[in-house]
Amino acid sequence: MKMILLRKFRVLILMVFLIACSMHIMIDLLPKLERHGGGGGGGGGCSCSNTPSEEPQSWGKQGWPNKHTLRILQDFSNEPSSNVSSHSLERIPGVGDRTQAVRRLELQQQQGLRGDRKRQFIQDAAVTKNVPVRGSRLLSLYDHPLYKRSVPPLTDEDTLFNVNTDIRFDPKAAEDQSWTAEGTVDEFSPTGELTAESYPNWLRFHIGINRYELYSRHNPVIDALLKDLVNQRITSVAMKSGGTQLKLIMTFQNYGQALFKPMKQTREQETPPDFFYFSDFERHNAEIAAFHLDKILDFRRVPPVAGRLVNMTKEIRDVTRDKKLWRTFFISPANNVCFYGECSYYCSTEHALCGKPDQIEGSLAAFLPDLALAKRKTWRNPWRRSYHKRKKAEWEVDPDYCEEVKQTPPYDSGRRLLDVMDMTIFDFLMGNMDRHHYETFEKFGNETFIIHLDNGRGFGKHSHDEMSILVPLTQCCRVRKSTHLRLQLLAKEEYKLSTLMAESLVRDRLSPILIQPHLDAMDRRLRQALKVLSECIDKEGYGYVVEDDLQPTRGTDHAPRRR
């Protein structure tokens, strides 16, 4: 009797093992078989973010989405030990092949994209009292002489890419054969007859990067790229490795890519007073507002960012091949679709990101060129905070700290120290305390601008001005003349910073981006920054504090400055 029971038990174990193996094979191989067989419904449909998806309860019955396989993505930072969230493309296919693929999809894109809804900008009477409105204040600002100064003539050494290089047309540069699988090489072979106007907007943005700016002041490609970030169909999603909070890498139908930061807080929520700066949430609206502020300040060092309402079911869950991300989706007790992903902090069911029922806001920041094509160098910010609950950084206890910085390359000559002062003012206006690293393009050496990345911890408190952010300015007492003049201009009633920001932000799909108290806080902080500079001028003299960069030559940015 015992032998019979033992045999039955062994047979039962064997059957369970076979069933488990069969299910594993079905889960892993069935999507590939369906894809080769032309199956998989909904693959060609438009997944518009404003259209509710199927009932949230049905998502678990669909099985693993049979979408294209994700490529292996590089980490954003070229300094693996840091948590800096720089924007880098994955290893991209040959640019020429991409261009041809985009041309094939051009007609479909034109039919599928929706035009942006026009919003009428309503002036706040309290902000614009006694000032007559004469059309767009923003256009009037950009028409000011301070915003018409051109960059020096560009040489091959001053541009990030030479559009005639082999990299542009070499599909082997990315070792990705999926490009040629869509069609024959003869049908879409890249030739020198292609013009830059035929490239997708993300590529035109990359080609326009030079030593002095990420994009030119009135470049129409930027507006077109912002529309792409909102309207392009999302074809794949993956989690970004590293970082303290969840961020997603999204790839579009035109092969462009962007970093998606989902909404974690409402516009009205302020950072709790007991929160350390490194424990704060990253805000999607702060990323959007930072891009517009950077442009109004005429720095143009923030990659284009746009807000988008994303369908979590159709545009994230159904297109991802990241199993770790896919497994974190669930239905909340309120019957909303939620997910939480994997990250160092705030990635748990208690901090899940939930839609209404499956729609979620987020910011989409356009990627910079892949590190394999345009290497970047990561620098430790000299005024980096300690990121410790009790310890203070050296600059917090040494009032003469800037003197040490000014004797250390690359801050002892050239433009770098003045760029840090620009970044300091930029961060102070936003209330951003989290500037631990920054990056530059390696090709341009030390004579190039600082890229203003990772601005999600700005605009956390409108009721508090963190004066410690201005310490680099108070210790060094240095600023560009162009920056000083623009700050003075933005303090005038006619060009009031808060009014200009409100007009610029209303164009975003997720408008309103900032509530009025945050806009008012920027005006208040601008006056405080000007007060610090005024005190510096009284103490050190105008000629020492203000660096004249408005000369017609290459300017003093490239010349050593007396100490």
Side-chain angles (χ1 to χ4, degrees):
M1 186 66 181
K2 291 183 179 180
M3 292 298 295
I4 295 175
L5 291 175
L6 183 60
R7 290 176 181 173
K8 288 183 177 181
F9 182 68
R10 288 177 178 174
V11 171
L12 180 61
I13 292 177
L14 181 60
M15 290 179 65
V16 171
F17 177 74
L18 292 174
I19 292 172
C21 291
S22 300
M23 290 180 65
H24 180 75
I25 294 172
M26 291 277 292
I27 291 173
D28 284 351
L29 298 183
L30 185 58
K32 297 180 180 179
L33 296 176
E34 289 178 354
R35 182 166 64 251
H36 288 300
C46 173
S47 53
C48 301
S49 60
N50 292 324
T51 304
S53 69
E54 67 275 6
E55 290 300 319
Q57 293 89 340
S58 66
W59 75 271
K61 302 176 183 179
Q62 297 176 0
W64 189 255
N66 56 337
K67 303 297 180 180
H68 60 277
T69 305
L70 286 177
R71 305 169 196 145
I72 298 176
L73 301 177
Q74 295 178 340
D75 182 67
F76 280 15
S77 175
N78 61 348
E79 184 182 271
S81 61
S82 75
N83 286 330
V84 63
S85 298
S86 56
H87 304 269
S88 168
L89 283 174
E90 62 182 274
R91 292 187 61 81
I92 59 175
V95 173
D97 288 348
R98 278 194 172 190
T99 303
Q100 298 301 328
V102 170
R103 292 180 69 181
R104 285 181 289 160
L105 297 173
E106 183 177 358
L107 181 60
Q108 178 183 351
Q109 293 175 10
Q110 291 175 353
Q111 293 174 348
L113 297 182
R114 294 181 178 180
D116 289 338
R117 290 186 303 169
K118 295 183 178 179
R119 295 184 177 91
Q120 182 178 1
F121 177 63
I122 302 175
Q123 300 287 351
D124 189 333
V127 175
T128 60
K129 59 183 179 180
N130 301 326
V131 179
V133 178
R134 298 183 297 274
S136 167
R137 293 171 184 264
L138 204 57
L139 292 179
S140 178
L141 176 76
Y142 294 148
D143 196 46
H144 192 277
L146 277 174
Y147 289 78
K148 288 188 172 183
R149 180 170 175 257
S150 60
V151 300
L154 299 177
T155 66
D156 288 345
E157 294 301 316
D158 295 325
T159 55
L160 190 61
F161 294 115
N162 180 356
V163 295
N164 294 319
T165 60
D166 293 337
I167 293 179
R168 175 165 164 259
F169 298 120
D170 185 9
K172 296 181 180 179
E175 299 178 356
D176 191 328
Q177 303 302 320
S178 63
W179 284 81
T180 56
E182 298 286 340
T184 63
V185 177
D186 294 336
E187 184 180 2
F188 297 106
S189 60
T191 67
E193 297 175 359
L194 294 177
T195 61
E197 287 72 19
S198 66
Y199 299 159
N201 293 312
W202 61 265
L203 181 55
R204 296 172 67 186
F205 161 57
H206 290 175
I207 292 174
I209 298 173
N210 60 63
R211 181 185 297 275
Y212 308 102
E213 57 193 4
L214 271 180
Y215 56 90
S216 58
R217 193 172 289 114
H218 304 293
N219 189 351
V221 171
I222 301 305
D223 286 338
L225 178 56
L226 292 175
K227 291 180 180 179
D228 284 350
L229 293 173
V230 175
N231 295 314
Q232 279 282 317
R233 180 169 60 86
I234 299 168
T235 59
S236 83
V237 176
M239 288 187 292
K240 177 197 174 293
S241 59
T244 59
Q245 301 181 37
L246 178 67
K247 294 176 278 287
L248 301 179
I249 301 171
M250 291 187 168
T251 304
F252 304 115
Q253 68 188 91
N254 69 350
Y255 303 99
Q257 289 186 307
L259 183 71
F260 180 76
K261 290 189 177 182
M263 177 178 178
K264 296 184 176 72
Q265 292 181 316
T266 65
R267 311 291 198 274
E268 294 75 18
Q269 286 179 285
E270 281 198 276
T271 302
D274 291 327
F275 265 38
F276 287 97
Y277 46 88
F278 48 82
S279 301
D280 196 10
F281 285 111
E282 293 187 35
R283 285 165 286 275
H284 72 299
N285 60 318
E287 293 284 358
I288 300 168
F291 165 69
H292 290 261
L293 175 61
D294 177 82
K295 187 176 180 182
I296 288 174
L297 292 172
D298 203 38
F299 294 153
R300 288 167 285 122
R301 300 165 194 171
V302 175
V305 184
R308 177 165 176 164
L309 190 65
V310 173
N311 187 305
M312 296 165 61
T313 304
K314 292 184 178 180
E315 297 182 303
I316 298 180
R317 192 206 69 207
D318 288 356
V319 299
T320 186
R321 296 297 296 177
D322 190 330
K323 292 185 179 181
K324 292 181 179 179
L325 173 63
W326 190 83
R327 288 168 180 163
T328 65
F329 275 83
F330 64 94
I331 304 299
S332 73
N335 208 32
N336 294 321
V337 176
C338 306
F339 73 99
Y340 52 88
E342 290 187 359
C343 60
S344 301
Y345 301 98
Y346 305 125
C347 282
S348 63
T349 53
E350 293 79 15
H351 299 96
L353 304 164
C354 297
K356 296 182 179 180
D358 57 0
Q359 307 286 310
I360 189 170
E361 289 185 16
S363 64
L364 279 165
F367 269 29
L368 292 176
D370 180 69
L371 294 174
L373 302 178
K375 292 182 179 180
R376 299 195 301 277
K377 185 170 182 178
T378 301
W379 303 79
R380 183 186 176 97
N381 184 3
W383 282 271
R384 180 184 188 271
R385 297 178 184 273
S386 66
Y387 288 84
H388 192 279
K389 294 181 179 65
R390 291 177 296 276
K391 293 181 181 179
K392 289 188 176 182
E394 184 180 353
W395 58 267
E396 295 181 276
V397 296
D398 182 5
D400 297 323
Y401 177 77
C402 184
E403 295 303 318
E404 298 180 19
V405 174
K406 289 191 293 186
Q407 297 174 22
T408 306
Y411 308 100
D412 58 342
S413 63
R415 62 174 290 165
R416 184 61 58 82
L417 185 65
L418 295 171
D419 275 356
V420 172
M421 298 302 108
D422 285 348
M423 185 173 64
T424 295
I425 295 168
F426 174 62
D427 283 337
F428 178 68
L429 294 175
M430 295 190 298
N432 178 29
M433 303 171 66
D434 190 39
R435 189 70 68 183
H436 46 78
H437 289 80
Y438 64 83
E439 294 188 22
T440 59
F441 287 108
E442 197 171 281
K443 175 180 179 180
F444 304 135
N446 293 335
E447 295 304 326
T448 187
F449 59 91
I450 289 174
I451 309 171
H452 294 164
L453 300 173
D454 243 0
N455 306 297
R457 286 196 169 120
F459 299 103
K461 296 180 181 179
H462 55 72
S463 56
H464 172 71
D465 301 333
E466 184 54 53
M467 297 304 296
S468 65
I469 301 175
L470 275 184
V471 166
L473 196 63
T474 58
Q475 288 184 347
C476 296
C477 278
R478 296 288 304 283
V479 71
R480 285 190 176 91
K481 184 176 182 178
S482 59
T483 300
H484 190 214
L485 291 176
R486 278 194 293 269
L487 294 178
Q488 292 175 313
L489 183 67
L490 295 173
K492 294 183 177 180
E493 193 69 19
E494 186 176 358
Y495 297 103
K496 202 170 184 179
L497 177 58
S498 60
T499 307
L500 293 168
M501 280 290 290
E503 181 181 348
S504 185
L505 290 171
V506 80
R507 303 175 183 181
D508 192 87
R509 182 65 62 87
L510 300 183
S511 177
I513 302 301
L514 296 176
I515 59 175
Q516 190 63 40
H518 278 299
L519 297 173
D520 295 337
M522 282 192 288
D523 290 332
R524 184 177 67 245
R525 292 164 186 165
L526 175 59
R527 292 192 295 269
Q528 291 173 338
L530 286 171
K531 181 182 178 182
V532 168
L533 288 173
S534 178
E535 293 172 351
C536 282
I537 291 172
D538 291 342
K539 181 177 63 175
E540 302 286 352
Y542 184 88
Y544 176 83
V545 175
V546 180
E547 177 86 23
D548 188 359
D549 64 328
L550 298 178
Q551 300 300 321
T553 60
R554 282 189 172 243
T556 53
D557 276 351
H558 299 268
R561 174 67 183 263
R562 63 180 177 83
R563 298 285 152 234

